[in-house]
Each structure stands twice: as C-alpha cells, then as structure tokens.
Amino acid sequence: QMQLVESGGGLVQAGGSLRLSCAASGRTSSHYAMGWFRQAPGKEREFVAAISRRGGSTSYADSVKGRFTISRDNAKNTVYLQMNSLRPEDTAVYYCAAGLIDGSSSRASYDYWGQGTQVTVSA
C-alpha cells in the first residue's frame, strides 16, 4: 500500500499563490506516475496536472495551463503543485494520486489517493 498526504492548502486572495505538497510513503514513489486532481462542491473530481515517473514529462488541464506547475523530488518522495495567479474558480479540495500510467488525466488510471487539502480563493 502507498499512503499519500497532501499539505499546503489554505485561503488566498485572487491573484495569489499557493504551493501544495504530496508526501508519499509505503512504496517507492519514483515507480509511480503522479497526478493532482480537484473537486469543487457539487462537481465531479477533475484532472489538474500529471507528471511522469522520472519527472521528464508533464501535462495540464487547459484551465490551469500557464498558471500551475507540477514537479517532483523522488529523493524526498514528494510531489508539488505550484499554483500562481489563482482565481475563485480554482476553489476546491485538491487530491494527490499515484498510478502506473504516465501522463494520464483519467481518474481510473490512479490506484492510490490522498485525503485532499482545501484551497479557497477569495475574490
């Protein structure tokens, strides 16, 4: 089993920045592709960003492209999501996930999930 723990969420004004972290334990995270998803109240959980096992390839949802950056430090078993130019519509619970398919935007591709961290962006 792999455990994923997100941190770094909070309340920020529109235009501000936050950096989310996802710490992995239980299995070697470098063996897994990692992704970030988010879920706003009353909405489906949606893909945000993904990074390949070695970090050489990333992908983003169109809604965050150019504002968010996903990265990973395999020595620390940690994945990050740097979020800049935040907007009220970015408000959601953000989830970290691990799977075996590099670059996937599908929830079904991810086998392990964290509990989520709340991000709230005020107008």
Side-chain angles (χ1 to χ4, degrees):
Q1 287 289 343
M2 173 183 270
Q3 292 77 43
L4 301 173
V5 179
E6 302 95 337
S7 62
L11 174 64
V12 64
Q13 288 187 331
S17 298
L18 282 174
R19 188 195 197 200
L20 305 184
S21 298
C22 172
S25 62
R27 296 207 174 197
T28 304
S29 64
S30 61
H31 294 173
Y32 291 84
M34 302 296 292
W36 285 97
F37 289 74
R38 66 186 182 186
Q39 188 167 15
K43 295 188 176 181
E44 294 285 322
R45 192 173 298 189
E46 65 176 4
F47 170 75
V48 175
I51 188 165
S52 59
R53 277 163 279 193
R54 294 188 177 185
S57 177
T58 59
S59 58
Y60 297 92
D62 287 343
S63 59
V64 307
K65 204 170 291 184
R67 300 187 298 123
F68 291 11
T69 303
I70 188 171
S71 61
R72 67 190 299 164
D73 184 339
N74 285 340
K76 295 182 179 180
N77 285 330
T78 303
V79 178
Y80 305 97
L81 185 68
Q82 178 67 43
M83 306 186 295
N84 298 328
S85 302
L86 283 161
R87 304 166 180 169
E89 53 264 41
D90 294 318
T91 295
V93 177
Y94 282 71
Y95 298 90
C96 173
L100 296 177
I101 301 176
D102 281 339
S104 177
S105 61
S106 170
R107 287 177 294 172
S109 298
Y110 293 88
D111 303 304
Y112 301 102
W113 293 82
Q115 292 300 306
T117 185
Q118 176 71 45
V119 171
T120 303
V121 184
S122 62

